[in-house]
């Protein structure tokens, strides 16, 4: 059953008719086009979110990628151009923490010049945003998503595990709004018994400011966060909690493959999104590929193995040869991990989100 048909407050199917204008796109074995590319620019992070990079695993001894192994800006841009030539319309820069990558503004400027790329966006923990956002915007960044898991300092600090205060993330978000990047989206991963008490506070605070919060079900990415199904707060529960205080109604998806289910406040004061990857998987419309910082392409967040594009670039392959490899990878893609989650083999080694990019 698709994500849309499962919704408790049903949306009109007409949302599918309002997809982004399709250009030539590759399709995979399940007829899903390649539309979105998430590019991880570093596997490092200055936070140690317990659900992503727990300190016990990502400690002092952890071997992050060597600088020489990481794609250069020229390599990333070359690949982005080839991907756009095969249907990608949206690029999201991510990580690790993407603002830890030196001179990220330069990469943004290079990507902003790629013909046919319609949406250039960034996901960040917000810690370094305040001082960088103007330059990023000037370089051509169109939108930004900031992750924030609670407005309660104790809860947030326990989750980022580096004692980072809420206030500084809020300053980053405000700086983004001032720089003209509104509406900013805010991502909150909800973990049962950890920050589920913060859901209403987050909804209230950002509703007043007209910024959209996207509540994300805690996912079983990687193999280091000790995920258990019992820790997941379902999107349906989140919607129910908010709806009880601030009535909501569903909004049609803007385009096929939209990850978040959208709801608006009935009084017209804005909207929220919920990302129900665990309880209502949306593999059927998944048009995303992920490029790791060292140039491996993952066709699913839960893939166990990436396709090595860096090797092609660094052995002097021509554009048409790299493009042929891309076509062969996407055309044979059959991933639908979230839909198979119950029956799949969760014991297989999975890549970490901080490496492949969320
Ligand atoms: N460091 C940046 C940040 O936190 O926004 C970008 C990378 S982070 C891996 C991208 C997104 O993945 C964040 O919004 C984060 O909350 C989310 N994320 C990480 N681990 C997750 C998990 N186990 N379940 C659900 N979302 C997760
Ligand atoms: Fe870092 Fe983002 Fe992962 Fe948190 S979610 S540890 S900020 S990469
Ligand atoms: Fe896409 Fe894989 Fe997530 Fe399914 S599990 S929505 S195929 S990334």
């Amino acid at each position: 059953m698709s994500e849309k048909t499962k919704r408790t407050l049903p949306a009109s199917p007409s949302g599918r008719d309002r997809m982004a204008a399709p250009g030539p796109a590759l399709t995979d074995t399940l007829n899903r086009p390649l539309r979105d590319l998430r590019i991880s620019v570093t596997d490092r992070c200055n936070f140690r979110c317990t659900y992503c990079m727990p300190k016990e695993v990502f400690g002092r001894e952890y071997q992050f990628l060597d600088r020489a192994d990481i794609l250069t800006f020229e390599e990333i841009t070359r690949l982005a151009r080839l991907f756009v030539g095969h249907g990608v319309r949206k690029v999201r820069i991510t990580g690790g923490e993407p603002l830890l990558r030196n001179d990220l503004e330069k990469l943004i400027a290079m990507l902003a010049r790629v013909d046919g790329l319609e949406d250039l966006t960034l996901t960040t923990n917000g810690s370094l945003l305040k001082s960088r956002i103007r330059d990023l915007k000037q370089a051509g960044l169109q939108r930004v998503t900031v992750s924030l898991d609670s407005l309660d300092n104790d809860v947030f600090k326990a989750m980022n595990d580096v004692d980072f205060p809420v206030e500084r993330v809020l300053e980053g978000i405000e700086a983004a709004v001032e720089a003209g990047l509104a509406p900013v989206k805010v991502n909150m991963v909800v973990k049962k018994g950890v920050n589920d008490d913060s859901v209403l506070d987050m909804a209230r605070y950002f509703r007043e400011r007209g910024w959209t919060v996207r509540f994300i079900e805690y996912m079983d990415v990687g193999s280091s966060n000790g995920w258990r199904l019992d820790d997941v707060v379902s999107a349906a529960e989140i919607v129910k909690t908010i709806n009880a205080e601030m009535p909501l109604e569903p909004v049609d998806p803007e385009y096929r493959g939209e990850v978040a289910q959208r709801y608006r406040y009935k009084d017209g004061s804005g909207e929220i999104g919920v990302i129900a990857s665990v309880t209502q998987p949306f593999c059927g419309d998944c048009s995303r590929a992920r490029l790791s910082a060292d140039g491996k392409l993952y066709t699913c967040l839960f893939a166990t193995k990436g396709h090595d594009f860096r090797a092609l670039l660094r052995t002097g392959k021509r554009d048409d040869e790299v493009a042929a490899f891309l076509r062969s990878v996407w055309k044979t893609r059959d991933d639908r991990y979230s839909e198979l989650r119950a029956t799949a083999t969760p014991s297989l080694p999975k890549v970490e989100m901080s490496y492949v990019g969320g």
Side-chain angles (χ1 to χ4, degrees):
M1 191 182 283
S2 85
E3 161 197 31
K4 275 151 249 156
T5 51
K6 273 186 160 183
R7 299 176 70 175
T8 38
L9 303 169
S12 138
S14 64
R16 276 174 179 275
D17 303 328
R18 295 190 288 107
M19 290 187 257
L26 273 179
T27 48
D28 67 8
T29 60
L30 301 171
N31 207 26
R32 296 169 298 187
L34 171 62
R35 288 285 182 216
D36 299 346
L37 180 63
R38 301 189 176 200
I39 302 176
S40 172
V41 291
T42 177
D43 60 337
R44 290 166 197 259
C45 189
N46 53 344
F47 283 13
R48 285 292 176 273
C49 301
T50 50
Y51 53 77
C52 179
M53 295 179 77
K55 262 183 182 162
E56 308 76 58
V57 178
F58 294 86
R60 279 182 182 284
E61 295 77 37
Y62 188 82
Q63 282 288 312
F64 289 99
L65 295 169
D66 280 343
R67 203 188 160 84
D69 291 333
I70 289 182
L71 294 186
T72 64
F73 291 166
E74 287 71 22
E75 289 170 330
I76 292 175
T77 309
R78 183 177 167 204
L79 286 178
R81 192 169 286 118
L82 285 171
F83 277 68
V84 169
H86 286 80
V88 164
R89 294 290 170 264
K90 175 171 163 185
V91 165
R92 177 176 295 278
I93 303 297
T94 179
E97 174 45 44
L99 294 184
L100 290 184
R101 179 80 188 250
N102 287 339
D103 298 327
L104 187 69
E105 295 76 4
K106 277 191 193 156
L107 174 66
I108 298 290
M110 290 162 77
L111 292 174
R113 287 197 293 271
V114 171
D115 262 353
L117 182 60
E118 292 167 6
D119 196 11
L120 181 53
T121 165
L122 168 86
T123 301
T124 170
N125 63 25
S127 59
L128 303 164
L129 202 53
K130 193 176 171 189
S131 58
R132 306 277 295 279
I133 193 66
R134 284 195 174 279
D135 291 345
L136 289 164
K137 164 86 166 81
Q138 213 153 33
L141 186 70
Q142 290 165 292
R143 296 188 301 122
V144 65
T145 298
V146 181
S147 304
L148 177 63
D149 295 325
S150 180
L151 290 168
D152 179 316
N153 245 326
D154 293 338
V155 174
F156 183 55
K157 286 180 176 181
M159 285 183 90
N160 66 52
D161 216 8
V162 293
D163 222 27
F164 200 88
V166 172
E167 199 50 41
R168 288 188 40 209
V169 179
L170 292 178
E171 284 170 12
I173 298 176
E174 275 151 26
V177 173
E178 276 163 29
L181 281 163
V184 173
K185 285 188 182 146
V186 178
N187 275 359
M188 170 181 180
V189 176
V190 185
K191 196 169 168 192
K192 192 169 281 174
V194 177
N195 67 338
D196 44 351
D197 280 353
S198 302
V199 164
L200 272 174
D201 271 355
M202 288 280 287
R204 285 186 201 117
Y205 181 91
F206 289 105
R207 174 181 177 228
E208 273 172 27
R209 286 155 184 81
W211 306 335
T212 301
V213 185
R214 300 189 316 169
F215 299 92
I216 306 177
E217 289 179 357
Y218 171 45
M219 286 187 286
D220 49 337
V221 273
S223 39
S224 55
N225 63 11
W227 185 88
R228 295 177 320 139
L229 188 57
D230 286 353
D231 295 330
V232 177
V233 182
S234 73
E237 287 173 74
I238 293 167
V239 169
K240 195 170 155 205
T241 304
I242 299 173
N243 185 54
E245 180 181 311
M246 298 167 268
L248 291 165
E249 59 192 6
V251 183
D252 287 347
E254 270 183 72
Y255 53 89
R256 179 181 173 191
E258 190 171 30
V259 174
Q261 298 173 26
R262 296 159 59 213
Y263 292 83
R264 72 178 146 241
Y265 294 110
K266 282 188 175 164
D267 66 1
S269 57
E271 59 177 71
I272 62 158
V274 284
I275 302 184
S277 348
V278 178
T279 61
Q280 298 171 54
F282 36 80
C283 303
D285 276 342
C286 179
S287 54
R288 288 175 298 284
R290 294 177 158 83
L291 187 65
S292 65
D294 59 347
K296 295 209 174 68
L297 190 76
Y298 289 84
T299 54
C300 178
L301 187 50
F302 299 92
T304 50
K305 169 178 157 298
H307 304 271
D308 194 353
F309 276 74
R310 189 190 65 190
L312 300 188
L313 302 184
R314 296 194 180 173
T315 51
K317 295 284 183 286
R318 297 184 313 268
D319 279 358
D320 60 311
E321 293 171 305
V322 182
F325 184 56
L326 166 59
R327 284 194 292 276
S328 74
V329 168
W330 195 263
K331 279 184 174 167
T332 53
R333 174 188 190 237
D334 61 0
D335 309 276
R336 51 191 196 100
Y337 175 87
S338 286
E339 286 182 352
L340 300 173
R341 184 178 269 114
T343 51
T345 47
S347 53
L348 283 175
K350 291 179 284 180
V351 283
E352 297 297 333
M353 189 113 151
S354 53
Y355 163 71
V356 75

